[in-house]
Amino acid sequence: MARQGPNNAGREWLEVVDQRNEPLAVMPREEVHSLGLPHRSVFVLLYNEQNKLYLQKRCMDKRRHPGCWDLSATGHVLAGEAKLEAARRELYEELRVEVNTLHPLYELPGSPGTGQEFITLFRTGPCRRVPDPNPDEVDSGMFLERHEMDYLVRRFRHLFTPGVITFWNKGLLFSGTGC
């Protein structure tokens, strides 16, 4: 769980990492972001039994990309937390979904294009559970097929977060790896 100091209850603490993704220090999330320091995050792709991908619409009060469509669940890896643990936590916090299996799919190194985040992309197997978006985290959501996603990205690219576009361009959102 997040490390908290005596006067910092409720603050998220992140590990600042070097260029090899090795931990260097632990700092509050706000400072990590304001200083542009490298840190870790996780993105989760949630699929239903028809292999449709769930996208969430970010709340308007989010600092980054308010109101944009994003991957199923995304968030930071907290200090002392494993990436798989963070992916499970974010999936539950944002969509109230618990899954038995998460598969690591791709690692993206930190760079200016990722906001200095070392991103690990996870994928669920076919999930029978219907997401129940947490209104404090997510405005709404929808399941999409590949051809629907293709149309929306081509016509309305500006409505998506950079993470969606990055992983779409890499061919990872419907990679057919079968879980």
Side-chain angles (χ1 to χ4, degrees), residues 17 28 43 52 91 105 111 113 147 150:
V17 297
F43 291 9
K52 292 182 179 182
L91 192 57
L105 192 60
S111 69
H147 73 277
D150 181 57

Side-chain angles (χ1 to χ4, degrees), residues 17-33:
V17 297
D18 65 16
Q19 296 202 346
R20 293 182 326 253
N21 198 10
E22 296 293 329
L24 294 173
V26 174
M27 296 174 65
R29 179 182 76 172
E30 298 80 19
E31 289 182 44
V32 171
H33 277 258

Side-chain angles (χ1 to χ4, degrees), residues 5-6 10 36-37 44 57 59-60 62 75-76 81 88 108-110 115 117 119 122 127-128 130 136 159 167 175 177:
L37 299 173
V44 181
K57 186 172 184 187
C59 289
M60 291 303 293
K62 295 285 187 180
H76 292 103
E81 185 178 42
R88 287 184 190 283
L108 193 62
E117 293 183 2
I119 299 169
F122 289 90
C127 183
R128 289 190 176 122
V130 177
D136 294 334
L159 298 178
F167 290 116
S175 63
T177 58

Side-chain angles (χ1 to χ4, degrees), residues 134-153:
N134 177 350
D136 294 334
E137 297 277 340
V138 178
D139 183 57
S140 61
M142 64 180 164
F143 280 103
L144 294 172
E145 294 180 4
R146 179 192 302 261
H147 73 277
E148 294 168 322
M149 186 76 191
D150 181 57
Y151 176 82
L152 291 172
V153 168

Side-chain angles (χ1 to χ4, degrees), residues 13-77:
W13 290 78
L14 309 179
E15 289 179 344
V16 175
V17 297
D18 65 16
Q19 296 202 346
R20 293 182 326 253
N21 198 10
E22 296 293 329
L24 294 173
V26 174
M27 296 174 65
R29 179 182 76 172
E30 298 80 19
E31 289 182 44
V32 171
H33 277 258
S34 69
L35 296 171
L37 299 173
H39 57 287
R40 297 179 184 126
S41 67
V42 292
F43 291 9
V44 181
L45 305 176
L46 175 72
Y47 296 90
N48 66 13
E49 293 179 301
Q50 292 77 40
N51 202 35
K52 292 182 179 182
L53 173 63
Y54 188 84
L55 293 184
Q56 64 158 279
K57 186 172 184 187
R58 295 174 61 83
C59 289
M60 291 303 293
D61 64 354
K62 295 285 187 180
R63 286 189 184 149
R64 299 174 77 193
H65 317 294
C68 288
W69 289 94
D70 204 351
L71 298 174
S72 308
T74 65
H76 292 103
V77 177

Side-chain angles (χ1 to χ4, degrees), residues 60-123:
M60 291 303 293
D61 64 354
K62 295 285 187 180
R63 286 189 184 149
R64 299 174 77 193
H65 317 294
C68 288
W69 289 94
D70 204 351
L71 298 174
S72 308
T74 65
H76 292 103
V77 177
L78 302 176
E81 185 178 42
K83 292 182 279 188
L84 180 60
E85 181 183 353
R88 287 184 190 283
R89 177 182 48 77
E90 289 294 341
L91 192 57
Y92 185 77
E93 283 179 7
E94 294 182 2
L95 303 180
R96 302 295 185 227
V97 170
E98 294 179 272
V99 295
N100 293 330
T101 307
L102 281 173
H103 304 279
L105 192 60
Y106 193 81
E107 298 259 341
L108 193 62
S111 69
T114 67
Q116 298 302 334
E117 293 183 2
F118 282 78
I119 299 169
T120 302
L121 180 67
F122 289 90
R123 168 188 177 104

